[in-house]
Amino acid sequence: MSASSQLLAGIKAYTDRQQVHSNETFTLVVELDEYTSDSPDLSVLPKELSILSSSKYHRSSTVNGVSETQLGWKIQLMATEPGVYTIPAIEVENQKSQPIQVTVKQANDSFDSEEKLDAIMLKAELSKDSVYVQEQMVLTIKLFRGIQTQYASLTEPSIENAIIEKLGEDTQYESMIDGQRYLILERKYAIFPQQSGSLSIPPVTFSADVIQKGSSGFGRMLGRTKPVTISTQQQSIDVKPYPENHSGQWLPSEKLSIKSRWSDPHGKVEGEPSTWTITLTGVGLHENQLPEIKLPKTDGVKWYPDTAEKTRSISNKGITGKRVERIAVVPTRSGKIELPELSFKWFNTQTGQYEIATLPAETIDVQPNSEQSGTSTTITTTPVKQTQSTSSQQNSPPAPAGLWQWSTYGFALLWLLTLIYFLLSRKMTPSELKLETAPVTTDAKAALLDAINSKDNMAIYKSLSYWLNDINTQQSFKSHLSALNNDTIRNSLIELEQSLYSPEKSDWKDAGKLKQWLKIIENDLALNKAANKETKLPPLYPTE
């Protein structure tokens, strides 16, 4: 019986179709009539045939006392270019199959079923015939399905020398075309070419299993389906270079606008920061294409820019990029101060002309800061008139001349010096200004969390100061930081203060970490507070 089985043993290889289209999958089956631990040698396959997946199956049966074993492999292949390809002999367990020839035709963008003509269609449309380098164009993929499919997949486009961004979620709807109802899936991409010249848009491929006519639910379970693969046609588009007279930053857009707003539009106070928010919006521009807003040195103000916020909005026409800059503006003197005009040159892709987006110059009226002007105090003293008593003190020796007068002057001078020291000590650093006048909030921590979510460093700094005072008594910001045991947190919060008030420009980017640090800060301050309470003076007469 063993010898009979050896004689019957053999290998065969075949494909499910001998003619396929480019970018269309087909299956190579290799079967062996005996069990083995070896696998087929697939290294002999032509390099033009890509291996997408491979699976193994095993079947055995006994008929009239004779056991039969069948071991097989299913390899899913795809060719990207048309042509005639030969799959050479596949070897397993020193046995070789016969070669197979496969013809790959040009890709097709539709599929005809036994029931319907153009039962499945795949179309690709470009929003423009030509674009400038880095200008946005929109690629729309439409899949039309007039029959039922399963295990469907749609590939993503991959384009060299271009940035591709998917525009939102897929859209699905139904439509009647030539009396036939289709379920349509629509997918859009924004494409930004990065080099001038001819840009190739490669095919996008749809693959699925189509249920064959007459297959019931049970038939589907038995696998009576047909694999289908269709692809869009390859396209090319002309990408134009910059205009000959171009200079500076290149901003190709349908519309570029700039606007601003103030956190306190009704007035500015000398030495007190105000947040100036400037927003730059570009239709058809990626948010990373929008330029940084650079403010020139201006007499009477100091700028403390925050990290820019980059966002986008998406529509059927593509991406609209937005760059939001928040600048803490600190007036260094009172009176009228003129802020500079800001302008950006951009290229209008609809008219083919350069234009200027301008934020006009603005004059702010800065009021004097009464708390920074200092307070002068005049002390008036009246000498005490000395009278001699006729009582028994008459015989006492007289007090030295001028003793009471000099004592009074001395006490007045000490009181004046104490007052001056107190006033000056409250004006040393920005972190020590107005802490005692901070508005009382019912939930300082909630206000701090809101500020963190807003990503406004000035709001975070103020809310953090209020919260620290709420849990650790009224102190300066630096006093609170000195009580922290964690060097990383302490150094980061020092950088936060410096980013707002230091003359040197710096960015503070730890807002996202601050939420996680709040519990650590709370614990450190609580431990420091407890340690201070337990600290006692050493005994006057220590014992050994």
Side-chain angles (χ1 to χ4, degrees), residues 296-366:
K297 187 175 181 180
T298 304
D299 180 49
V301 294
K302 290 184 178 180
W303 316 113
Y304 300 100
D306 195 0
T307 303
E309 178 185 342
K310 302 175 186 178
T311 58
R312 67 171 62 173
S313 58
I314 293 175
S315 67
N316 288 333
K317 294 183 178 181
I319 292 174
T320 297
K322 183 180 292 186
R323 183 186 181 100
V324 180
E325 301 261 11
R326 293 181 176 87
I327 302 106
V329 181
V330 181
T332 57
R333 62 174 174 82
S334 60
K336 294 187 180 298
I337 300 175
E338 184 173 350
L339 303 182
E341 175 185 280
L342 300 176
S343 61
F344 296 92
K345 184 174 78 170
W346 61 285
F347 186 80
N348 191 322
T349 56
Q350 293 182 315
T351 64
Q353 301 293 326
Y354 285 100
E355 296 186 18
I356 303 293
T358 303
L359 184 66
E362 180 180 354
T363 300
I364 58 174
D365 190 8
V366 181

Side-chain angles (χ1 to χ4, degrees), residues 263-264 269-275 304 328-331 458 462 500-501:
S263 59
D264 50 352
V269 180
E270 178 187 358
E272 293 190 359
S274 300
T275 302
Y304 300 100
V329 181
V330 181
M458 179 58 71
K462 290 180 179 178
L500 298 173
Y501 298 105

Side-chain angles (χ1 to χ4, degrees), residues 4 13 44 77 100 152 155 174 183 196 231 242 270 293 303 309 346 350 352 405 437 504 533 535:
S4 175
V44 298
L77 304 174
I100 307 169
T155 63
E174 290 187 359
L183 176 64
S196 58
S231 301
Y242 306 142
E270 178 187 358
I293 298 174
W303 316 113
E309 178 185 342
W346 61 285
Q350 293 182 315
Q405 291 91 334
T437 60
E504 299 179 0
K533 286 184 178 179
T535 302

Side-chain angles (χ1 to χ4, degrees), residues 143-281:
L143 173 65
F144 301 78
R145 283 178 289 182
I147 56 175
Q148 190 175 1
T149 61
Q150 59 184 14
Y151 308 118
S153 65
L154 186 63
T155 63
E156 300 283 340
S158 177
I159 305 174
E160 292 185 3
N161 301 321
I163 295 173
I164 306 174
E165 299 277 355
K166 189 171 181 290
L167 297 175
E169 300 298 325
D170 296 344
T171 303
Q172 295 196 57
Y173 53 94
E174 290 187 359
S175 179
M176 290 291 294
I177 302 175
D178 295 332
Q180 183 169 323
R181 184 179 297 278
Y182 286 93
L183 176 64
I184 302 175
L185 180 142
E186 189 173 298
R187 182 178 292 178
K188 290 180 178 287
Y189 299 89
I191 301 175
F192 299 88
Q194 299 300 298
Q195 287 185 3
S196 58
S198 179
L199 181 70
S200 177
I201 311 296
V204 173
T205 301
F206 172 74
S207 301
D209 286 348
V210 174
I211 299 169
Q212 291 183 329
K213 184 178 180 181
S215 295
S216 62
F218 184 68
R220 295 175 197 171
M221 294 176 63
L222 294 177
R224 288 201 287 266
T225 59
K226 180 178 181 179
V228 171
T229 302
I230 58 176
S231 301
T232 60
Q233 299 296 324
Q234 181 167 316
Q235 303 180 63
S236 61
I237 188 169
D238 180 39
V239 181
K240 295 178 285 188
Y242 306 142
E244 291 183 2
N245 60 345
H246 172 71
S247 63
Q249 188 159 8
W250 175 244
L251 297 172
S253 173
E254 295 181 14
K255 182 180 180 182
L256 188 76
S257 61
I258 182 172
K259 62 180 182 178
S260 70
R261 61 180 176 85
W262 289 91
S263 59
D264 50 352
H266 302 298
K268 312 290 183 295
V269 180
E270 178 187 358
E272 293 190 359
S274 300
T275 302
W276 191 21
T277 303
I278 302 175
T279 303
L280 193 61
T281 305

Side-chain angles (χ1 to χ4, degrees), residues 43 51 63 69 99 127 227 237 263 278 507:
S43 63
I51 300 175
V63 178
T69 296
S127 61
I237 188 169
S263 59
I278 302 175
D507 292 333

Side-chain angles (χ1 to χ4, degrees), residues 413-430:
L413 181 60
L414 288 173
W415 185 85
L416 180 60
L417 291 174
T418 303
L419 176 62
I420 292 172
Y421 173 78
F422 176 73
L423 291 175
L424 290 177
S425 66
R426 293 174 57 188
K427 296 168 55 180
M428 292 177 64
T429 64

